[in-house]
Amino acid sequence: MKNYDFIVVGSGIAGLSFALRAAQKGRVAIVTKKDRGDSNTAKAQGGIACVESAEDSFDLHVKDTLIAGAGLCNEEVVRTIVSEAPQAIADLVDLGVCFDRDSASGDFSLGMEGGHSQRRILHSKDTTGLEIETQLLEAVAANENIEVLEHHFAIDLITTRRLGFASPPRCLGLYVLDEEKNTVVTLRSDRIVMCTGGCGRVYLYTTNPKVATGDGVAMAWRAGAKIANMEFIQFHPTCLYHPEVKSFLISEAVRGEGGVLVGQDGKEFMHRYDERKSLAPRDIVARAIDREIKVTGAACVFLDITHKKKGFVKDRFPHIYNTCLALGIDAEKDPIPVVPAAHYQCGGVQVDVNGASSLSGLWAVGEVACTGLHGANRLASNSLLEGAAVAQRAVGNVLEKLPVGQTETFDLPEWTLGNVTDVDELVVIYHNWDEIRRLMWDYVSIVRTGKRLQRAATRLQNLSREVQEFYWNFKVTSELLELRNLVQVATLIVDNAAQRTESRGLHYTLDYPERDDKNWRRDTVFGRV
Ligand code: SIN
């Protein structure tokens, strides 16, 4: 058993920001299931929202966030995070993060995205997340108080309840699969922070990298923590449509710089859905594209930015430009084929603005968590902001509740293997994985109905039983653990969606197409503690 003052699970902006601050007070382990740089953060293109210009104000940023959130944001949380954004940005800049600046004035160059009434997106060309991740990882590497455990897959939280203690529910540690040694290690800490990102991989089409399998929500759920609003899965309107490249995002910033959505006939269509046209909030644009594709029978729509002056796209969006060019699409001359794809989990482990969950000893920060910032639909580029700002608050909150040095001694039992064998047929795991992703896409994506949700629920019940059997009978592997988490998270999405008998933000059902503020202006919450 290894002891730490803090255990952070996940190595994106939330986990790394928390670890750097916490390391000033004690020893930190960062548990991460792949290489340390494999995170959703590293893939983020657009940027990070922050009020910086004289025309902008915190009130306007709050207002835009509340409008996108469709009546479910927690206004106090929104105001707190929005007003702490400049400090979060200053901290990132101090760590060496380079945001693009106007060459004449030296001020931050501010981008525009859907749902924002002002230019307020700080960016580093179109690889903002990678720039942030790189600088945070450099700082972590230089910090002797932080140990990064790569290729370590967090299996489950160890709680008083799991150990059969009579004392109130709380977290005591974590069982983790060390993939290189193929053993399960026991990590002990009173302060555990989930920063595992979202669950885009639960869908067949997603902009998320392979790591996004909902591990944090599934673990927190099994430990009894409250989970909220999982029905609100954001579909990004513009994922590249190409047979060879499945998950490549075409940043919303492209529309922010004037890109327009057109159909196969080359004609714009967004004016028929919303007066903000291609820059309407994502739920509206994704639904409109879904409808256009279904009505016209086309495979995709197109994002056209060919009207900009030569060299603009290449210079402002080099990553997108070069990736498309390698596939034979010259974005300066050709409209880019795009489709919506699962992008962001707006619900998650229910926490307060400090990241504290309903389970003592467990905090959650970033996409894995539901603070109330996003409500029923996240405003673009508010997520990196949330990760950075709430991570700072969480450190203060953890130390206030459980100062380092006041750790109780517990001898946690080691993981018991039981009578298990190696997985004999990996094909079964891959088959179930594909089936979950396909059924979630067909029955639980942009447009839902009660009947489709019921179909999904029936299939998921069978799949859960099968996966549970594998889990008891076979040695744990990362594939099996991810499958176990995927089926759990898919079930939460379906259960939450089935419960919400209205349409709001990202949850749209043909059975209840109207918003019902009287009955449903509230979170959907499941959990034991
Ligand atoms: C994008 O660049 O479109 C993604 C930004 C975000 O999801 O906030």
Side-chain angles (χ1 to χ4, degrees):
M1 186 176 85
K2 281 174 147 181
N3 281 275
Y4 296 93
D5 295 311
F6 308 87
I7 297 175
V8 176
V9 190
S11 54
I13 187 171
L16 300 177
S17 303
F18 181 93
L20 284 166
R21 176 70 59 107
Q24 294 167 9
K25 300 289 177 188
R27 283 212 38 81
V28 185
I30 299 179
V31 175
T32 187
K33 67 180 178 177
K34 300 278 181 217
D35 290 338
R36 62 189 70 195
D38 282 330
S39 64
N40 273 336
T41 297
K43 297 279 177 204
Q45 295 181 355
I48 177 161
C50 177
V51 172
E52 289 282 348
S53 81
E55 296 80 54
D56 201 0
S57 67
F58 292 146
D59 282 343
L60 284 175
H61 190 176
V62 169
K63 188 172 164 209
D64 294 345
T65 304
L66 297 180
I67 291 173
L72 275 205
C73 298
N74 177 326
E75 187 166 349
E76 216 178 301
V77 168
V78 175
R79 194 162 288 283
T80 303
I81 293 175
V82 158
S83 56
E84 289 178 4
Q87 186 56 52
I89 296 295
D91 291 345
L92 288 171
V93 170
D94 280 351
L95 281 167
V97 174
C98 267
F99 294 110
D100 292 351
R101 289 180 184 269
D102 181 88
S103 54
S105 67
D107 293 342
F108 289 124
S109 143
L110 300 172
M112 182 68 161
E113 286 181 358
H116 289 273
S117 59
Q118 297 290 326
R119 286 193 164 260
R120 63 168 77 97
I121 316 298
L122 279 78
H123 54 86
S124 188
K125 298 285 183 194
D126 56 351
T127 47
T128 312
L130 186 61
E131 167 67 7
I132 293 174
E133 181 82 13
T134 306
Q135 300 306 328
L136 288 174
L137 280 176
E138 264 187 35
V140 163
N143 194 313
E144 290 186 344
N145 247 359
I146 304 177
E147 188 179 347
V148 185
L149 302 170
E150 290 177 301
H151 300 278
H152 278 62
F153 198 118
I155 303 173
D156 262 323
L157 290 159
I158 306 171
T159 57
T160 46
R161 184 198 297 267
R162 183 182 175 118
L163 299 183
F165 292 176
S167 52
R170 59 179 269 220
C171 281
L172 300 171
L174 199 63
Y175 288 122
V176 176
L177 172 67
D178 175 343
E179 288 197 73
E180 265 151 29
K181 296 205 181 103
N182 206 10
T183 54
V184 176
V185 289
T186 308
L187 305 184
R188 160 87 186 105
S189 181
D190 281 330
R191 305 167 199 85
I192 298 183
V193 189
M194 282 292 169
C195 304
T196 48
C199 67
R201 288 270 152 185
V202 84
Y203 286 97
L204 190 58
Y205 303 112
T206 175
T207 62
N208 290 181
K210 289 198 170 126
V211 291
T213 53
D215 305 328
V217 166
M219 269 186 281
W221 167 253
R222 289 192 291 267
K226 288 201 170 114
I227 308 292
N229 291 356
M230 288 299 289
E231 67 273 40
F232 298 114
I233 300 290
Q234 184 169 72
F235 290 81
H236 197 292
T238 58
C239 180
L240 179 67
Y241 176 74
H242 194 277
E244 280 161 43
V245 179
K246 298 272 184 237
S247 294
F248 188 69
L249 179 70
I250 306 296
S251 176
E252 188 151 326
V254 175
R255 275 174 287 138
E257 295 299 344
V260 288
L261 288 161
V262 296
Q264 257 185 339
D265 55 4
K267 290 196 180 128
E268 287 186 41
F269 56 84
M270 272 310 299
H271 59 280
R272 285 192 265 115
Y273 296 90
D274 193 283
E275 61 187 16
R276 291 161 288 184
K277 301 181 192 164
S278 292
L279 271 184
R282 285 186 188 166
D283 55 335
I284 295 167
V285 183
R287 253 193 321 273
I289 296 176
D290 185 67
R291 179 152 174 77
E292 288 295 308
I293 287 175
K294 287 199 171 116
V295 168
T296 61
C300 62
V301 295
F302 295 86
L303 182 53
D304 190 349
I305 188 154
T306 55
H307 57 281
K308 294 297 260 195
K309 86 172 187 279
K310 192 169 169 352
F312 174 83
V313 179
K314 199 171 171 179
D315 178 57
R316 172 66 180 85
F317 303 110
H319 181 48
I320 294 173
Y321 179 78
N322 289 324
T323 305
C324 288
L325 198 61
L327 298 167
I329 305 159
D330 181 345
E332 298 221 328
K333 295 186 192 136
D334 312 318
I336 308 168
V338 290
V339 283
H343 182 62
Y344 195 87
Q345 164 196 305
C346 291
V349 182
Q350 194 180 41
V351 295
D352 65 14
V353 71
N354 301 311
S357 78
S358 61
L359 177 63
S360 182
L362 180 68
W363 284 259
V365 186
E367 187 173 351
V368 66
C370 180
T371 56
L373 173 67
H374 308 312
N377 178 34
R378 177 180 65 99
L379 184 67
S381 287
N382 266 356
S383 45
L384 291 176
L385 167 61
E386 183 185 45
V390 178
Q392 305 295 354
R393 299 183 71 82
V395 177
N397 189 257
V398 172
L399 291 168
E400 197 185 305
K401 287 187 173 152
L402 292 166
V404 171
Q406 294 187 9
T407 301
E408 287 173 66
T409 315
F410 272 104
D411 271 333
L412 299 181
E414 295 298 327
W415 178 262
T416 41
L417 261 187
N419 195 17
V420 294
T421 57
D422 286 321
V423 175
D424 50 0
E425 290 195 303
L426 264 180
V427 67
V428 190
I429 290 185
Y430 293 139
H431 174 87
N432 283 356
W433 178 299
D434 287 346
E435 190 173 342
I436 293 170
R437 298 184 68 202
R438 162 70 65 188
L439 80 86
M440 289 299 286
W441 184 259
D442 287 344
Y443 299 148
V444 199
S445 55
I446 299 172
V447 177
R448 302 164 178 175
T449 66
K451 211 163 160 189
R452 289 180 202 164
L453 291 176
Q454 189 49 53
R455 275 209 178 110
T458 308
R459 284 303 305 136
L460 284 170
Q461 279 160 17
N462 292 337
L463 284 161
S464 298
R465 262 196 303 276
E466 267 181 35
V467 171
Q468 202 53 27
E469 254 172 53
F470 298 155
Y471 181 70
W472 290 121
N473 294 330
F474 297 128
K475 276 189 199 148
V476 287
T477 61
S478 56
E479 289 89 354
L480 179 50
L481 293 171
E482 283 186 337
L483 177 64
R484 178 178 177 238
N485 292 337
L486 276 180
V487 76
Q488 183 64 73
V489 169
T491 303
L492 283 164
I493 296 171
V494 172
D495 287 353
N496 278 213
Q499 186 154 328
R500 187 173 285 280
T501 49
E502 65 154 358
S503 290
R504 176 188 298 272
L506 300 160
H507 172 69
Y508 183 78
T509 165
L510 293 173
D511 297 336
Y512 303 94
E514 302 301 326
R515 180 165 146 176
D516 174 3
D517 275 347
K518 188 157 160 267
N519 295 303
W520 281 107
R521 196 163 181 168
R522 59 184 165 89
D523 295 332
T524 323
V525 185
F526 292 165
R528 293 193 298 268
V529 289

